[in-house]
Amino acid sequence: MAADGRQPSTGPEAEQEWLAAYDPRAYTPIAVTVDVVALTLRQGSLHVLLVERGAPPYQGCWALPGGFLRAGEEGLDEAAARELAEETGLHSASEAEVRRCRLHLEQLGTYGAPERDPRMHVVSVAYLAFAPDLPDPQAGTDAAAAAWHPVSDLDLRPHGRSPAAGAPADTHGGGVDGRTGPDPLALAFDHARILADGLDRVRAKLEYSPLATAFLPYDFTIPDLRAVYEAVWDEKLHPGNFHRKVLSVPGFVESTGSTTERGGARGGPRARTYHAGDARQLHPALLRPTRDAVDDAEAR
Amino acid sequence: MAADGRQPSTGPEAEQEWLAAYDPRAYTPIAVTVDVVALTLRQGSLHVLLVERGAPPYQGCWALPGGFLRAGEEGLDEAAARELAEETGLHSASEAEVRRCRLHLEQLGTYGAPERDPRMHVVSVAYLAFAPDLPDPQAGTDAAAAAWHPVSDLDLRPHGRSPAAGAPADTHGGGVDGRTGPDPLALAFDHARILADGLDRVRAKLEYSPLATAFLPYDFTIPDLRAVYEAVWDEKLHPGNFHRKVLSVPGFVESTGSTTERGGARGGPRARTYHAGDARQLHPALLRPTRDAVDDAEAR
DNA sequence: TACGTTGTGCTCAGTCCGAGAAGAACGGCG
DNA sequence: CGCCGTTCTTCTCGGACTGAGCACAACGTA
């Protein structure tokens, strides 16, 4: 129920009294915040928008963008959209993109463990956003301390846990390409967990929803779309089969009738362009291959 | 972020000041509640646990069981489990069932529109529970006003909206069997929406997760499992193909080696018994048939 | 005992998917 | 300008899976 009105064993008078006693204003307060896991594709790899914390706790750490829900003024979806716009500078830079629905925003989950913030009990509603490649947040705005980070640079293990304790010792393929940072970035609060949940969600969502198009500009090619799937799933896909499959799913993409101006950077013919169709679900789904290995990993 | 600590354009002193100004204690308070969509199977049809409201608003209406999150004392999962136990009388009746993990509880979503409760801004974290057939909530306990209701008796359209306005005019198959109530029960607050989201979730979840077993006792037969799918999806399934499919998915069910004591109520041989396997996902998934019709309905 | 019901297993045809390959268009380089 | 490697697109083929129907045996009930 929204705010409780129960207690059936007594009359309505005691009911009113009990309700008054439960007025949260008189009790330990709870803060409600909205955090956003904003994902985009840059240079073929998945990036997440982070802000640098300027105050303790976790001062200097990177965290998901977010802020308080404005009580009585806005719903959760509005708050998430507002936070994202403030942090990316989207409001001025490319508001047209938002209007064109080139940005997907959905609720991810809510995190409310009492000890997740040392100051007080904070309930955070996390949102997941997919965006096409956006410009860097401009300095001089709210978003000065915000930046896109490659997901592979981040430490997604549970907090502060050493690799030997509990978690499998392998690096999970995050550092095989030898990126710059020797130790992966740790995130503030339980944001590593939230980000990990967001990544699970986006990986699953690409299978049965056409949301991969949200990572691309309005017009795109099938190889562009394949690059999204390959980046999110971290797997190479068979170009021919992917092409056949995408075109066979009704409502996934619609042809524009034209092609790209030039071929690929390393040669190859021009590709036909498409834009997103009107389907909200993919039937049949675009299942990802070699799920058996994933099965084994999850069963452990 | 959990509680904001940003504002990069000024120094840390202004930071502190700003943080203090955002202390939610000083602002309009927000209440956080936890509501539970508890589903079970009774006589072959899906039922949901509801409580009757004893106080305005929506006095006399049925609502989802729920209550306030106890600030600083419990997380969201704990609060949901507590509410469910209080409302069903599970704590005394069949705690063994809970211990055996015969009850599935997962977060469904969070609802925080400012006007969803007329008294104040209430953010509700909804949970979804699957349970085997539980006894009726006993009178004389917290759960006196609680009861299991067939889902098909409820009005799941958006609030107070007449069938002609906006929503399609068809009854969506909810009343074809001519059940007792002439008009379907309306739920308090936005609980019809929450329940509808829960139903969507459970229907989708049966496809790729083995959670159908959460609706059954520890030992069950394949026809029992088929009955769960048929009730949730509201579709008849092919017995032979269902049997083949369930046994072919690794980790879905494990044979106990024995059979039922008697045949079916209307004849037929004894069935072999199984219990849930250790798989957390179904590979390959158990896709539901005739999704094309669903496609059309969702495309509208 | 007869009959309808149902669990379990089988067959068969259609569809889908992974893998490979071919043809054509393109960029870059000598 | 011609060659070569790259890549978009289409095609083929064999295996796997799915939906539909059927068979048979075991069971409850009349």
Side-chain angles (χ1 to χ4, degrees), chain A residues 189-213:
Chain A
F189 304 106
D190 54 356
H191 288 187
R193 173 66 141 69
I194 298 177
L195 176 55
D197 289 348
L199 293 175
D200 282 346
R201 171 79 65 93
V202 65
R203 282 191 270 257
K205 201 116 194 177
L206 288 206
E207 290 195 338
Y208 56 91
S209 87
L211 287 177
T213 60

Side-chain angles (χ1 to χ4, degrees), chain B:
Chain B
M1 52 183 50
D4 216 343
R6 183 173 26 92
Q7 189 82 323
S9 46
T10 45
E13 310 78 25
E15 165 64 37
Q16 292 292 346
E17 177 192 353
W18 175 83
L19 182 64
Y22 243 107
D23 180 1
R25 202 182 309 240
Y27 271 60
T28 318
I30 300 184
V32 177
T33 68
V34 174
D35 296 340
V36 180
V37 178
L39 300 176
T40 194
L41 232 66
R42 302 194 130 193
Q43 306 122 230
S45 79
L46 209 54
H47 285 58
V48 61
L49 184 67
L50 298 178
V51 298
E52 194 170 5
R53 286 185 57 80
Y58 297 102
Q59 185 167 20
C61 272
W62 293 89
L64 299 175
F68 286 105
L69 176 67
R70 293 179 183 165
E73 298 178 22
E74 59 183 2
L76 299 169
D77 295 3
E78 291 90 336
R82 174 178 57 76
E83 288 296 336
L84 187 57
E86 288 175 5
E87 232 73 58
T88 57
L90 256 187
H91 41 127
S92 58
S94 53
E95 197 160 352
E97 292 283 334
V98 181
R99 293 245 175 75
R100 255 168 137 187
C101 288
R102 296 306 314 145
L103 190 139
H104 172 77
L105 193 62
E106 69 176 48
Q107 195 178 296
L108 173 60
T110 302
Y111 300 79
E115 69 281 5
R116 60 185 295 277
D117 188 308
R119 290 164 294 183
M120 65 180 297
H121 197 162
V122 176
V123 171
S124 270
V125 184
Y127 274 76
L128 186 61
F130 306 153
D133 197 348
L134 260 25
D136 275 311
Q138 293 105 339
T141 70
D142 270 12
W148 293 100
H149 283 257
V151 168
S152 55
D153 285 2
L154 303 175
D155 183 2
L156 296 187
R157 290 171 313 215
H159 231 169
R161 187 185 257 178
S162 78
D170 63 330
T171 51
H172 181 264
V176 280
D177 52 353
R179 284 201 66 98
T180 56
D183 23 56
L185 259 59
L187 261 42
F189 304 106
D190 55 356
H191 288 188
R193 173 67 141 70
I194 298 177
L195 176 56
D197 289 347
L199 293 175
D200 283 346
R201 172 80 66 92
V202 64
R203 283 190 269 257
K205 203 115 194 179
L206 289 205
E207 289 194 340
Y208 57 90
S209 87
L211 287 177
T213 60
F215 286 103
L216 297 172
Y218 188 77
D219 286 322
F220 56 86
T221 69
I222 304 248
D224 289 340
L225 192 62
R226 177 161 48 88
V228 174
Y229 278 88
E230 290 182 337
V232 172
W233 286 349
D234 195 23
E235 287 184 85
K236 286 291 169 199
L237 300 180
H238 186 290
N241 291 341
F242 184 84
H243 198 99
R244 173 184 58 182
K245 180 70 180 168
V246 167
L247 292 185
S248 78
V249 176
F252 194 2
V253 297
E254 274 177 38
S255 174
T256 64
S258 57
T259 68
T260 53
E261 297 288 321
R262 285 175 46 89
R266 286 177 300 197
R270 299 175 184 178
R272 284 199 258 259
T273 58
Y274 299 83
H275 52 255
D278 53 5
R280 298 199 183 177
Q281 299 209 2
L282 262 32
H283 291 297
L286 223 156
L287 297 175
R288 87 195 211 221
T290 63
R291 269 300 265 280
D292 317 273
V294 177
D295 260 355
D296 294 344
E298 285 176 355
R300 272 183 281 168

Side-chain angles (χ1 to χ4, degrees), chain A:
Chain A
M1 52 183 46
D4 215 344
R6 183 172 29 92
Q7 189 80 325
S9 46
T10 46
E13 309 79 24
E15 166 62 38
Q16 291 292 345
E17 177 191 350
W18 175 83
L19 182 64
Y22 243 106
D23 180 359
R25 199 181 311 237
Y27 271 61
T28 318
I30 300 184
V32 176
T33 68
V34 174
D35 296 341
V36 180
V37 178
L39 300 176
T40 194
L41 231 65
R42 301 195 133 193
Q43 305 121 229
S45 78
L46 210 53
H47 285 57
V48 61
L49 184 67
L50 298 178
V51 298
E52 192 170 6
R53 286 183 59 78
Y58 298 101
Q59 185 167 21
C61 273
W62 293 89
L64 298 174
F68 287 104
L69 177 67
R70 293 180 182 166
E73 298 178 21
E74 60 184 359
L76 299 169
D77 295 2
E78 291 90 337
R82 175 178 56 76
E83 288 295 335
L84 187 58
E86 288 176 5
E87 231 72 57
T88 58
L90 256 185
H91 42 125
S92 58
S94 53
E95 196 160 355
E97 292 284 333
V98 181
R99 292 248 174 74
R100 254 167 139 189
C101 287
R102 297 308 312 146
L103 189 138
H104 172 76
L105 194 62
E106 70 175 48
Q107 195 178 294
L108 173 60
T110 302
Y111 301 79
E115 69 281 4
R116 61 185 294 276
D117 189 307
R119 290 164 294 183
M120 66 179 296
H121 197 161
V122 175
V123 171
S124 268
V125 184
Y127 274 76
L128 186 61
F130 307 152
D133 198 348
L134 260 26
D136 275 309
Q138 293 105 338
T141 70
D142 271 12
W148 294 100
H149 284 257
V151 168
S152 56
D153 285 1
L154 303 175
D155 183 3
L156 296 187
R157 291 171 313 214
H159 232 169
R161 189 187 256 178
S162 81
D170 63 332
T171 52
H172 181 264
V176 281
D177 53 352
R179 285 201 67 98
T180 57
D183 23 56
L185 259 59
L187 262 42
F189 304 106
D190 54 356
H191 288 187
R193 173 66 141 69
I194 298 177
L195 176 55
D197 289 348
L199 293 175
D200 282 346
R201 171 79 65 93
V202 65
R203 282 191 270 257
K205 201 116 194 177
L206 288 206
E207 290 195 338
Y208 56 91
S209 87
L211 287 177
T213 60
F215 286 103
L216 297 172
Y218 188 78
D219 286 323
F220 56 87
T221 69
I222 303 244
D224 288 340
L225 193 61
R226 178 161 47 86
V228 175
Y229 278 88
E230 291 181 337
V232 173
W233 287 348
D234 195 24
E235 288 183 87
K236 287 290 168 200
L237 299 180
H238 186 292
N241 292 341
F242 184 83
H243 198 100
R244 173 183 57 181
K245 180 69 180 169
V246 167
L247 292 184
S248 77
V249 176
F252 192 2
V253 298
E254 275 177 38
S255 173
T256 64
S258 57
T259 69
T260 53
E261 297 287 323
R262 285 176 44 89
R266 286 178 298 195
R270 299 175 184 178
R272 283 199 261 260
T273 58
Y274 299 82
H275 52 255
D278 52 6
R280 299 201 181 175
Q281 300 207 0
L282 262 31
H283 290 298
L286 224 157
L287 297 176
R288 87 196 214 220
T290 64
R291 269 299 264 279
D292 316 273
V294 177
D295 260 355
D296 295 345
E298 284 176 355
R300 273 182 282 169

